[in-house]
Amino acid sequence: MEHLFLLGGGDLEMQIIRKLLEQHKVGFYDKQLQWSNATVDAYRQELERYGNQPGIHIYGIELRFSGDLPMYNNYTLVDHHNEYAGRPAALTQVAALLKISLSRYEQLVAANDSCYIPGMLALHATADEIARIRRADRAAQGVTEEDELQALEAISRKVVYPGGLQVVYSGSGRFSPVCNRLYPYESLLVYTDSEWMYSGKI
């Protein structure tokens, strides 16, 4: 059975998956999607061509269902987010399908994507390994050097309230550089003039 992969929203894990598929000469399509438009419908043309075709099995990686596409009996979703939480990371699932082993770096990338920093710590990642992977993941998701510098400036102005709530006004809508640098935290609120994100205890 021939494998055909359809790649979802761009991040470090998806970059590594693409690299593995290229190395092992496995067929794939990559529409260079973002999280906001990572849907099955983005691959309508490919699905209409290969859907239900004998000898081919299609794997959509972290693609949300949308539109009016039929459900093909040779299509399988590879995901570990939201209602699929608890499954292995998509990178781990792809490695199992290809019957290959992941390197130490690739294992940490998978752990980061599925369980964030605690997942990497569970694999005894060093501080340098965690910083390297988090920085690479932010870059893969479009975080720029300017965003990184703005995060440093924003953190220097943070306010800590009684009970440990940290509040940071960010000059950038990219919140991950702030969150990563302040981890671990019990309660964190990061905001701009138009949006906010809270993480921590209720």
Side-chain angles (χ1 to χ4, degrees), residues 110-153:
N112 168 63
D113 204 274
S114 60
C115 299
Y116 189 49
I117 294 174
M120 290 187 282
L121 289 173
L123 295 179
H124 309 290
T126 65
D128 286 344
E129 285 177 321
I130 291 172
R132 176 188 176 196
I133 287 172
R134 288 303 309 153
R135 184 75 177 242
D137 196 22
R138 295 197 299 271
Q141 295 183 52
V143 173
T144 66
E145 286 300 316
E146 180 63 25
D147 293 324
E148 299 283 356
L149 292 173
Q150 287 185 2
L152 290 172
E153 182 180 352

Side-chain angles (χ1 to χ4, degrees), residues 26 81 121 176 192:
V26 179
H81 296 285
L121 289 173
S176 59
T192 65

Side-chain angles (χ1 to χ4, degrees), residues 159-170:
V159 178
V160 181
Y161 288 90
L165 172 63
Q166 300 183 67
V167 178
V168 179
Y169 176 77
S170 175

